[in-house]
Amino acid sequence: MIAKRMREAMNLQIKHELESYYIYLSMVAYFHEQNLDGMAHWMRCQAHEEMIHAMKFFDHIIDRGGSVKLLDLKQLKTSWKSPLEAWKDAYEHEQFITGKINELIKISREENDYNAEPLLHWFANEQIEEEKNTDKAVKELEMIGNSKEGLFMVDRELGTRVFTPGSPLDPAAYTQAV
Ligand code: OFO
């Protein structure tokens, strides 16, 4: 049985992961409007991944006999001045999420919740990747400055992301490798 403190903290994390889904979906719309279909594709994959993250916590709570209470989502930004500003926001958001995962790890230690550890370690590793990817895009966009050709190339590169995780609503369809 999951302890109340951890259940409530994971419930809150479901909200954070769904807000990640929501903000990245807004970025999909923004990038399509800018004719940056490669970036839109990358963010579409990312939004899908965030829904899976939310469902990992959702399933963990259910599997341990807890109840899930979905909370209101915050209204997040829906437009950006430039692709660079959007990617900077994504990087900053991932740093915020890393902080939240670290808080959950702290709670698991304080509560001696050993059953939560494998999931939280998975997320700790995942956040290294999430920060790395968004920071890389920021650095590339800073490198090209106002070059249209450069933007075209970065967009092309981001459009090559391959993502085949299965449905976020089917636990059997997604794996720990997401
Ligand atoms: Fe769920 O990792 Fe990004 O936000």
Side-chain angles (χ1 to χ4, degrees):
M1 183 80 182
I2 191 165
K4 182 172 181 285
R5 188 176 171 213
M6 182 57 91
R7 173 174 52 76
E8 287 177 353
M10 285 193 177
N11 253 299
L12 191 58
Q13 190 62 26
I14 292 173
K15 167 184 152 70
H16 293 317
E17 300 291 346
L18 289 175
E19 283 172 349
S20 301
Y21 166 80
Y22 211 42
I23 192 169
Y24 294 145
L25 201 56
S26 279
M27 287 184 187
V28 171
Y30 166 74
F31 287 135
H32 277 308
E33 282 164 23
Q34 305 300 310
N35 267 328
L36 294 167
D37 292 345
M39 291 188 187
H41 165 78
W42 196 97
M43 280 299 171
R44 199 176 282 252
C45 297
Q46 190 60 33
H48 189 155
E49 193 170 305
E50 299 299 350
M51 179 65 86
I52 289 173
H53 291 174
M55 292 310 296
K56 280 178 182 279
F57 284 111
F58 187 104
D59 289 342
H60 186 83
I61 295 171
I62 301 276
D63 288 348
R64 295 180 65 196
S67 62
V68 168
K69 302 283 176 225
L70 294 178
L71 304 168
D72 285 351
L73 301 186
K74 196 166 70 184
Q75 177 63 51
L76 300 162
K77 212 159 147 179
T78 53
S79 67
W80 290 267
K81 284 199 209 82
S82 66
L84 176 59
E85 186 185 87
W87 284 97
K88 276 184 174 170
D89 277 3
Y91 179 46
E92 198 177 301
H93 184 73
E94 288 308 327
Q95 289 173 295
F96 165 77
I97 295 292
T98 300
K100 293 294 165 194
I101 297 296
N102 291 344
E103 281 173 24
L104 284 168
I105 292 171
K106 189 162 176 280
I107 292 171
S108 76
R109 289 180 183 169
E110 287 169 0
E111 298 285 321
N112 292 326
D113 187 347
Y114 305 114
N115 292 330
E117 278 186 16
L119 179 72
L120 295 177
H121 285 161
W122 183 89
F123 272 98
N125 277 325
E126 177 70 6
Q127 282 312 120
I128 294 173
E129 173 105 6
E130 305 271 284
E131 285 193 29
K132 186 182 89 177
N133 290 339
T134 46
D135 186 36
K136 181 171 183 278
V138 168
K139 288 192 172 119
E140 287 184 358
L141 288 171
E142 283 175 340
M143 198 188 305
I144 62 167
N146 292 325
S147 160
K148 291 249 184 310
E149 293 83 355
L151 182 60
F152 182 79
M153 285 178 68
V154 173
D155 186 60
R156 275 288 168 93
E157 180 201 322
L158 289 165
T160 61
R161 179 173 179 177
V162 177
F163 187 69
T164 50
S167 164
L169 298 180
D170 177 5
Y174 58 81
T175 68
Q176 292 291 88
V178 167

